[in-house]
Amino acid sequence: HGFYFCPDGYLKDPWNVLDFVVVGVAWASADYSFFNVELGGVGISSLRTLRSMRSLRPLRTIQRLPGIRLVVNVLFECAPVFINICFVVLFVFFVFAIMGVQFFAGRFWTCN
């Protein structure tokens, strides 16, 4: 087993890539926190966004549970259909918003 260049390398599986990114971001933000304290609190505030990647830690368990892995893969495969449904719903909302503005324009508020 290799890291990347072998046929069955660790980074050949997308779930392992996600695991690698989550752990790498956690290490980077931990190192940043350590060095930020060492330098007297002066640091780059853009690295705070890396801490939001910590929310992906529970996704690491998906790799070890094949049932949950199947469910997540199906959700990703269904995502384009869900996006199309969202566009249709937004279009309907937009049409009704235009109709509401035309029907009720200025009837709820009056100027004195």
Side-chain angles (χ1 to χ4, degrees):
H1 298 292
F3 187 67
Y4 181 75
F5 295 107
C6 296
D8 58 344
Y10 180 74
L11 290 180
K12 295 291 183 176
D13 186 19
W15 291 105
N16 289 339
V17 171
L18 175 68
D19 187 32
F20 180 75
V21 168
V22 168
V23 171
V25 166
W27 280 359
S29 65
D31 288 342
Y32 170 72
S33 298
F34 175 73
F35 289 119
N36 193 16
V37 170
E38 289 284 324
L39 296 173
V42 177
I44 302 171
S45 64
S46 64
L47 287 179
R48 290 183 183 173
T49 58
L50 290 178
R51 292 182 184 169
S52 66
M53 295 288 289
R54 290 182 185 176
S55 64
L56 297 175
R57 280 184 185 171
L59 291 178
R60 293 179 63 198
T61 60
I62 292 173
Q63 181 180 359
R64 289 161 182 82
L65 300 172
I68 295 176
R69 189 178 198 178
L70 177 67
V71 169
V72 171
N73 283 335
V74 168
L75 284 175
F76 282 136
E77 289 176 10
C78 292
V81 176
F82 292 146
I83 291 172
N84 289 338
I85 292 170
C86 288
F87 281 136
V88 170
V89 169
L90 287 175
F91 177 73
V92 170
F93 284 167
F94 184 69
V95 168
F96 279 105
I98 291 174
M99 288 173 52
V101 168
Q102 291 299 317
F103 288 148
F104 304 115
R107 293 197 183 155
F108 294 120
W109 294 287
T110 58
C111 296
N112 292 333

